[in-house]
């Protein structure tokens, strides 16, 4: 028997979780996520899959976040008709998130095509439509935690609480083989691992004594102080009070699922206990509004479900479903709070608010989640003085703050302990879903804990691994690559072009007079001329 693992997403420095497992009799995916980050990476969402969707027998989905589920409608659109196994709550959240993802694509493509028409460029089409997403949802099949499912002959899967978001899971897989040294191949996909202490969820759990573990490393290079709920409230209180000093708005780009609900619950608790001023609070995200309804429906599954229900009933919280309601927020004066998606500022209504507020000195933007390289959120976090939003240059005068106490990902020590608790890992540990420095730091931490470094693998996009081998660890072999490793993990030419535009604009703004500006423009023009261009010009 043969068995291979191909890492089609969430490889080193690459988002978009997707793993293909192939045996002699079966092909299946764990996750099928959308790529996020620089445009070079996001363009993969529009290309063909590196496998035939019609040949995939089933999908196991760890959780509903778009970087894990976002290409499922495209998969079904292109011929996949098998079941998608997920927890009940993941199904409910996907029922909000996938149609919302399709709607965002439809709106953004419509706007892009209007710009393309003015520029004489060809039209583009969305990766999938709302109708495609709704058809995909019909393929979902619910599973219970801690219960074996049998999606195919000789294959079993069991979902374990991952503590990341509502319904999230690590997935244990057993594959029957005819190999004497490995009658049953045991694998564990971590999904995204939640921190040890959370408001909503118990600590993550999963099995031990495995052949292979595929583990995320998002915050492998980070060590967070262990805060109690009250200490977290203290941190948030200081940030909100500081933001309110100048009488301005507090903008919070937030992930619609889990981060938004935790953050709102804490803000409302601070208001109710008199620790911060009573100001209007806007939840400006149709997806987050729907996700909050799912959380309320499943509140009994939360650690503090009754308190959450009470918090969400406050009259201070105003939800804005329509675009017109969202626009009216700009008329609000004085202190107010706007929570809007997306968390990395790459799509959704938060970009509209940033466009209208980044140039204002009395605005505070508080980033509360992971910011991938190449995203607007990461660019702001790294101190950009100006950014481009929808083709327009915006000066950054607002205060940019980062708050790490709401992360849904375990930090480096927690990840290392989670891996240690899975021991023994007899063949190989794959570190995925992280940037190079995060993986390297986690790898080093594991070495220091005595975990065999030769068994730790950091795959790149589209790497293929042989899972049936007598030698410890997995042997990789080359496969067709959509991107070379050196093409990912850094700002791409789209980011460089935006920064060049901003640098040119800054140079022109600070030039002494029009004569100096003309000198700058002549130098730029000369640098763009090719030898053939000069010959034509002088002919």
């Amino acid at each position: 028997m043969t068995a291979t693992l191909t890492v089609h997403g969430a490889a080193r420095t690459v988002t978009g979780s997707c793993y293909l497992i192939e045996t002699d009799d079966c092909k299946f995916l764990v996750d099928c996520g959308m790529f996020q980050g620089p445009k070079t990476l996001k363009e993969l969402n529009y290309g063909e899959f590196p496998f035939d969707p019609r040949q995939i027998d089933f999908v196991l989905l760890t959780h509903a976040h778009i970087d894990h589920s976002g290409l499922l409608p495209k998969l079904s659109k292109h011929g996949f008709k098998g079941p998608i196994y997920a927890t009940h709550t993941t199904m409910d959240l996907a029922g909000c998130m996938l149609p919302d993802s399709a709607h965002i694509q439809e709106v953004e493509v419509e706007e892009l095509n209007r710009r393309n028409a003015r520029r004489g460029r060809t039209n583009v089409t969305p990766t999938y439509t709302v109708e495609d997403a709704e058809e995909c949802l019909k393929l979902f099949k619910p599973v219970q935690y801690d219960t074996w499912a049998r999606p195919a002959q000789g294959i079993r899967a069991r979902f374990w609480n991952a503590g990341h978001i509502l319904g999230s899971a690590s997935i244990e897989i057993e594959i029957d083989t005819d190999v004497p040294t490995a009658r049953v191949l045991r694998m564990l996909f971590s999904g995204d691992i939640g921190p040890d202490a959370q408001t909503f969820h118990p600590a993550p759990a999963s099995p031990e004594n495995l052949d292979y573990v595929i583990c995320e490393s998002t915050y492998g290079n980070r060590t967070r102080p262990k805060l109690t709920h009250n200490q977290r409230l203290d941190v948030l209180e200081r940030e909100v009070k500081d933001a309110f000093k100048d009488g301005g708005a507090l903008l919070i780009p937030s992930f619609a699922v889990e981060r938004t609900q935790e953050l709102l619950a804490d803000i409302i608790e601070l208001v109710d206990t008199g620790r911060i001023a009573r100001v209007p609070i806007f939840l400006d995200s149709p997806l987050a509004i729907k996700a909050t309804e799912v959380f309320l429906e499943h509140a009994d599954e939360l650690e503090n479900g009754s308190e959450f229900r009470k918090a969400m009933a406050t009259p201070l919280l105003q939800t804005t479903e329509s675009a017109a309601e969202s626009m009216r927020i700009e008329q609000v004066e004085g202190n107010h709070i706007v929570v809007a998606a997306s968390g990395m500022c790459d799509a959704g209504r938060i970009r509209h608010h940033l466009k209208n507020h980044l140039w204002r000195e009395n605005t505070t933007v508080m980033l509360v989640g992971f910011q991938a390289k190449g995203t607007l959120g990461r660019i702001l976090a790294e101190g950009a003085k100006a950014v481009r939003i929808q083709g327009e240059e915006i000066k950054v005068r607002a205060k940019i703050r980062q708050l790490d106490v709401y992360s849904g990902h375990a930090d480096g020590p927690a990840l290392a302990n989670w891996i240690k608790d899975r021991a023994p890992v007899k063949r190989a540990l794959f570190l995925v879903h992280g940037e190079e420095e995060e993986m390297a730091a986690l790898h080093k931490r594991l070495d220091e804990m005595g975990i065999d470094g030769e068994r730790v693998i950091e795959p790149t996009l589209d790497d293929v691994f042989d899972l049936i081998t007598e030698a410890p660890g997995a042997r990789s072999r080359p496969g067709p690559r959509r991107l070379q490793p050196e093409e990912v993990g850094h700002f791409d030419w789209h980011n460089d072009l935006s920064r060049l535009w901003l640098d040119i604009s800054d140079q022109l703004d600070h030039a002494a007079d029009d004569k100096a500006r003309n000198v700058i423009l002549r130098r730029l023009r000369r640098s763009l001329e090719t030898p053939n261009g000069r010959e034509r010009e002088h002919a």
Side-chain angles (χ1 to χ4, degrees):
M1 177 183 178
T2 62
T4 60
L5 166 71
T6 307
V7 182
H8 284 313
R12 184 189 309 149
T13 71
V14 176
T15 57
S17 176
C18 184
Y19 309 96
L20 171 65
I21 296 93
E22 298 182 69
T23 70
D24 294 342
D25 304 315
C26 186
K27 293 183 181 180
F28 64 95
L29 299 179
V30 176
D31 290 346
C32 189
M34 184 171 283
F35 294 98
Q36 299 169 326
K39 287 186 178 180
T40 298
L41 193 56
K42 290 197 290 188
E43 284 171 356
L44 295 179
N45 296 320
Y46 292 87
E48 293 184 0
F49 284 110
F51 49 80
D52 186 348
R54 296 170 298 180
Q55 295 181 2
I56 302 300
D57 294 291
F58 61 90
V59 176
L60 305 174
L61 178 60
T62 60
H63 63 287
H65 274 155
I66 290 299
D67 63 326
H68 291 256
S69 70
L71 289 185
L72 286 171
K74 178 182 175 182
L75 189 75
S76 64
K77 176 182 178 180
H78 289 276
F80 169 72
K81 300 303 177 188
I84 301 169
Y85 293 89
T87 64
H88 285 269
T89 316
T90 293
M91 287 178 56
D92 289 346
L93 289 172
C96 304
M97 299 183 74
L98 295 180
D100 180 81
S101 173
H103 174 69
I104 289 174
Q105 290 181 65
E106 289 178 341
V107 170
E108 290 186 341
V109 164
E110 183 180 351
E111 293 173 352
L112 176 61
N113 284 338
R114 282 199 293 268
R115 295 198 298 270
N116 284 346
R118 293 192 293 268
R119 298 169 180 171
R121 298 176 181 175
T122 57
N123 281 354
V124 298
T125 58
T127 306
Y128 52 85
T129 64
V130 171
E131 183 179 355
D132 295 327
E134 291 172 346
E135 285 298 310
C136 173
L137 292 170
K138 297 176 182 178
L139 302 177
F140 276 69
K141 185 172 182 177
V143 295
Q144 301 285 346
Y145 283 128
D146 307 327
T147 302
W148 285 108
R150 287 172 170 75
Q153 181 68 33
I155 297 177
R156 294 170 295 282
R158 183 162 51 172
F159 287 59
W160 296 78
N161 165 52
H164 174 59
I165 66 169
L166 197 63
S168 64
S170 299
I171 302 179
E172 177 187 6
I173 300 170
E174 290 189 350
I175 302 174
D176 290 341
T177 77
D178 55 7
V179 179
T181 56
R183 291 289 186 186
V184 176
L185 190 67
R186 301 188 68 234
M187 308 176 67
L188 178 67
F189 289 81
S190 71
D192 287 350
I193 299 297
D196 290 333
Q198 291 191 80
T199 304
F200 285 168
H201 305 295
S206 54
E208 57 189 34
N209 191 21
L210 300 143
D211 294 299
Y212 295 101
V213 171
I214 296 86
C215 182
E216 66 122 324
S217 58
T218 308
Y219 283 144
N221 194 28
R222 189 168 303 190
T223 302
R224 298 192 196 94
K226 294 188 181 299
L227 300 181
T228 66
H229 176 64
N230 287 332
Q231 289 171 327
R232 187 172 79 175
L233 287 176
D234 291 340
V235 173
L236 180 62
E237 178 186 1
R238 288 194 295 271
E239 292 291 340
V240 174
K241 285 182 174 177
D242 187 61
F244 284 175
K245 284 180 180 177
D246 297 324
L250 171 59
L251 304 183
I252 306 178
S254 184
F255 298 94
V257 177
E258 194 86 16
R259 304 290 78 75
T260 289
Q261 289 74 33
E262 278 195 304
L263 188 61
L264 286 174
D266 280 3
I267 290 172
I268 292 164
E269 183 174 348
L270 290 176
V271 172
D272 288 344
T273 53
R275 295 172 63 175
I276 62 173
R278 296 180 67 86
V279 303
I281 304 167
F282 297 95
L283 177 55
D284 189 26
S285 165
L287 173 58
I289 294 167
K290 293 175 184 175
T292 301
E293 293 171 356
V294 174
F295 270 68
L296 289 169
E297 291 171 6
H298 292 270
D300 292 341
E301 300 172 29
L302 304 177
E303 294 282 279
N304 62 342
S306 59
E307 290 88 349
F308 177 71
R309 281 197 178 103
K310 180 181 176 182
M312 293 302 102
T314 177
L316 281 178
L317 180 60
Q318 303 178 46
T319 58
T320 51
E321 291 275 6
S322 69
E325 290 172 325
S326 175
M327 294 291 186
R328 284 197 288 272
I329 296 175
E330 298 306 318
Q331 300 171 16
V332 178
E333 297 181 356
N335 290 144
H336 59 285
I337 299 172
V338 181
V339 180
S342 71
M344 297 186 196
C345 309
D346 251 16
R349 293 181 180 177
I350 191 61
R351 293 175 71 86
H352 162 75
H353 294 296
L354 292 171
K355 188 174 180 180
N356 286 305
H357 279 276
L358 277 176
W359 54 272
R360 302 182 186 186
E361 293 181 351
N362 67 341
T363 292
T364 298
V365 179
M366 189 164 71
L367 303 171
V368 295
F370 176 73
Q371 307 297 319
K373 284 187 178 179
T375 61
L376 177 57
R378 180 67 164 262
I379 292 168
L380 290 171
E382 293 181 346
K385 302 300 182 185
V387 295
R388 290 175 67 83
I389 301 176
Q390 296 172 339
E392 185 176 339
E393 178 184 341
I394 311 293
K395 297 293 185 184
V396 180
R397 298 190 180 94
K399 296 185 288 291
I400 310 299
R401 302 289 296 162
Q402 283 191 279
L403 202 59
D404 192 30
V405 295
Y406 288 94
S407 174
H409 289 270
D411 65 2
L415 284 171
N417 287 329
W418 184 89
I419 292 168
K420 184 179 180 181
D421 289 343
R422 308 285 75 77
V425 180
K426 291 178 277 192
R427 291 176 175 267
L429 165 68
F430 294 88
L431 298 184
V432 296
H433 202 295
E435 297 174 359
E436 287 190 45
E437 57 270 25
E438 305 293 341
M439 286 188 180
L442 182 55
H443 198 153
K444 180 181 178 182
R445 190 182 299 273
L446 295 172
D447 283 342
E448 292 170 350
M449 293 173 65
I451 294 176
D452 185 357
E454 292 184 1
R455 297 174 187 261
V456 181
I457 298 171
E458 300 175 13
T460 56
L461 186 65
D462 298 326
D463 274 352
V464 184
F465 296 91
D466 176 12
L467 300 178
I468 304 291
T469 173
E470 293 186 11
R475 296 175 298 178
S476 65
R477 57 181 172 82
R481 292 193 187 277
R482 289 166 290 170
L483 289 175
Q484 295 303 314
E486 62 271 14
E487 294 181 85
V488 295
H490 51 76
F491 292 116
D492 64 7
W493 72 267
H494 300 279
N495 299 121
D496 290 339
L497 177 60
S498 292
R499 286 192 284 187
L500 176 61
W501 278 114
L502 294 170
D503 289 344
I504 292 171
S505 177
D506 186 64
Q507 288 287 318
L508 293 173
D509 286 345
H510 289 88
D513 50 32
D514 285 350
K515 182 178 179 181
R517 294 184 182 94
N518 285 327
V519 169
I520 293 171
L521 293 174
R522 283 198 300 272
R523 288 174 177 170
L524 285 169
R525 192 173 299 280
R526 282 199 299 270
S527 70
L528 293 172
E529 289 176 346
T530 64
N532 289 336
R534 285 199 295 271
E535 288 170 8
R536 287 196 298 270
E537 186 178 337
H538 295 297

